[in-house]
Amino acid sequence: MKKGGFAGYVALILVTTLLQTCLVTAFLADAAPQPFATAYGFPGFSSMRHRSILRDEVAARLKELGNVSDSKHVLERTFLSPAAVAAGRLLITWMKDAGLRTWEDKLGNVHGRSDGANATAPALLLGSHLDTVIDAGRYDGALGIVTAIAAVKALKIEGKLQQFPRPIEIIAFSDEEGIRFQTTFLGSSAVAGTFQPKHLKNLDARGISIGAALRAASHEGTVESVSSMKYEPSSVWGYVEVRSGLRVPYRVHAMDLFLITCFRYLLL
Ligand SMILES: *[C@@H]1O[C@H](CO)[C@@H](O)[C@H](O)[C@H]1NC(C)=O
Ligand SMILES: *[C@@H]1O[C@H](CO)[C@@H](O)[C@H](O)[C@H]1NC(C)=O
């Protein structure tokens, strides 16, 4: 954060507060199941109607994604590993199913985007990381991606995705944990424009550099290609990530309300 550091800080506080509000509401939902989406001013959008997507499909997909592993015994997906590539492909099919245009960028991040009503307006970014630590829980990272896809899919079914006032883009980042190359946030740093070019020479345990790993995965793996990935701050409206570092998520059966409430706040 250089220019606008203070504004960024305020935005972070706002987003954190928003997420906390959503979580508290999600917990309350268990106590008194109601058509909350309507009560919270999202007319015509029934969280009950989309329960199969926002709750059941989220839970099933988290299980399915949690099965995509490099190890037979524990969950393990490191940067550009065979399981990470397979997970990216699976996410692309789910993003397409949610009505998004998809692509993989030059650092292996997987994107799905809808232009909404104004393709040039700053985009709402959602997502999390698709890599894992070794012996990971199935919700770490996956939760933020799978719930974002579910929320967008529900908007699509309601016919509200095209009317959304700005683009929505889901990003599944290729590296957050830094397990393979001992350098964290490779995926998001390239999008934020803070990727250190010297890291392309970092080696994994088998002596393969990040640059070579990218080239093996059909990317250019050059300083220029990675630098070109930066998103201008003016093109981004905000970024929201649903997180759980735990093996047990927030109560997934309250997820429908949680997502709807988040979208209600974000639309205002
Ligand atoms: C996960 O893998 C196990 C073992 O291969 C399989 O029995 C199960 O059906 C899989 N679950 C999902 C949700 O894909
Ligand atoms: C679309 O967004 C851009 C950038 O914020 C803005 O300049 C433009 O007026 C918007 N167009 C419409 C039709 O609202």
Side-chain angles (χ1 to χ4, degrees), residues 221-241:
T222 60
V223 174
E224 295 71 30
S225 69
V226 174
S227 307
S228 71
M229 283 175 51
K230 181 184 173 183
Y231 277 32
E232 286 308 324
S234 60
S235 71
V236 175
W237 186 63
Y239 173 67
V240 177
E241 173 166 345

Side-chain angles (χ1 to χ4, degrees), residues 118 120-122:
N118 184 349
T120 60

Side-chain angles (χ1 to χ4, degrees), residues 60 63-64 67:
K63 269 193 194 148
E64 190 178 346
N67 257 6

Side-chain angles (χ1 to χ4, degrees), residues 156-225:
K156 183 191 98 169
I157 290 170
E158 284 290 324
K160 293 191 189 305
L161 190 55
Q162 300 310 319
Q163 295 165 19
F164 200 77
R166 57 187 67 259
I168 300 181
E169 184 169 326
I170 300 177
I171 312 182
F173 291 108
S174 56
D175 175 89
E176 189 244 35
E177 308 286 6
I179 299 295
R180 180 168 174 191
F181 290 100
Q182 306 296 310
T183 313
T184 54
F185 301 112
L186 290 174
S188 51
S189 66
V191 172
T194 59
F195 184 92
Q196 303 285 319
K198 64 176 185 207
H199 287 328
L200 284 174
K201 298 202 176 105
N202 285 19
L203 301 178
D204 69 6
R206 290 186 296 155
I208 299 169
S209 70
I210 293 183
L214 283 168
R215 287 187 285 280
S218 310
H219 298 294
E220 292 159 67
T222 60
V223 174
E224 295 71 30
S225 69

Side-chain angles (χ1 to χ4, degrees), residues 21-144:
T21 311
C22 293
L23 281 176
V24 169
T25 322
F27 275 95
L28 291 178
D30 266 356
Q34 297 283 333
F36 276 93
T38 303
Y40 278 82
F42 213 108
F45 195 119
S46 166
S47 58
M48 297 298 163
R49 190 154 71 235
H50 298 295
R51 213 154 244 253
S52 61
I53 295 168
L54 296 168
R55 182 190 61 183
D56 307 339
E57 191 169 71
V58 164
R61 285 180 168 181
L62 284 165
K63 269 193 194 148
E64 190 178 346
L65 191 57
N67 257 6
V68 183
S69 175
D70 287 310
S71 156
K72 280 205 178 92
H73 310 291
V74 295
L75 175 54
E76 174 186 339
R77 286 195 300 266
T78 55
F79 181 56
L80 294 179
S81 72
V85 171
R89 288 207 191 103
L90 186 58
L91 290 171
I92 281 189
T93 63
W94 292 346
M95 286 174 173
K96 286 194 168 134
D97 172 56
L100 301 175
R101 180 174 87 247
T102 62
W103 70 97
E104 187 185 330
D105 71 23
K106 295 168 179 176
L107 216 86
N109 301 315
V110 168
H111 302 243
R113 185 172 171 115
S114 157
D115 286 341
N118 184 349
T120 60
L124 166 62
L125 306 185
L126 304 168
S128 193
H129 58 98
L130 66 79
D131 69 322
T132 72
V133 294
I134 293 165
D135 195 7
R138 78 162 86 109
Y139 305 107
D140 187 8
L143 184 72

